[in-house]
Amino acid sequence: MSMHRKTITLTEQQDDWVKGQIENGHFGNDSEYIRDLIRRDQQAKERLATLRQALAAGESSGKSKPLDISAIKSAGRKRVKASN
């Protein structure tokens, strides 16, 4: 994977935060920290997209039915008994 050099500008508070993360041993340098932030942001966006797809699928799956709480509890109890 090729690397590209970027120049970023941080406030003093942000720079102190990044330096603290490095000093505490969480990251080896500024670049590692920034790359970790980007990876986390990418993962969060992917999770959000997956959730939106699931919501859309649920909405398009048809009319919902009323929940039968008693049946749900009964099924849960049966599963617990079966796993013991």
Side-chain angles (χ1 to χ4, degrees):
M1 176 186 321
S2 66
M3 302 296 265
H4 299 272
R5 183 172 297 277
K6 300 285 183 183
T7 301
I8 62 169
T9 304
L10 303 174
T11 65
E12 186 174 342
Q13 181 183 15
Q14 291 168 334
D15 189 51
D16 289 344
W17 176 263
V18 173
K19 287 177 183 175
Q21 297 301 304
I22 295 165
E23 288 169 4
N24 288 329
H26 299 293
F27 301 94
N29 57 46
D30 297 19
S31 293
E32 285 181 14
Y33 182 65
I34 300 301
R35 286 193 301 269
D36 183 67
L37 291 175
I38 292 169
R39 275 191 298 275
R40 289 178 191 217
D41 186 49
Q42 289 170 326
Q43 292 168 348
K45 299 287 191 288
E46 289 171 7
R47 286 191 303 268
L48 184 57
T50 300
L51 178 58
R52 286 186 172 144
Q53 288 173 348
L55 288 170
E59 289 175 346
S60 65
S61 69
K63 189 173 179 177
S64 62
K65 300 173 187 172
L67 291 176
D68 182 351
I69 298 300
S70 297
I72 293 170
K73 288 180 179 179
S74 177
R77 287 185 189 107
K78 287 179 184 176
R79 288 174 112 181
V80 168
K81 285 182 182 179
S83 66
N84 289 334

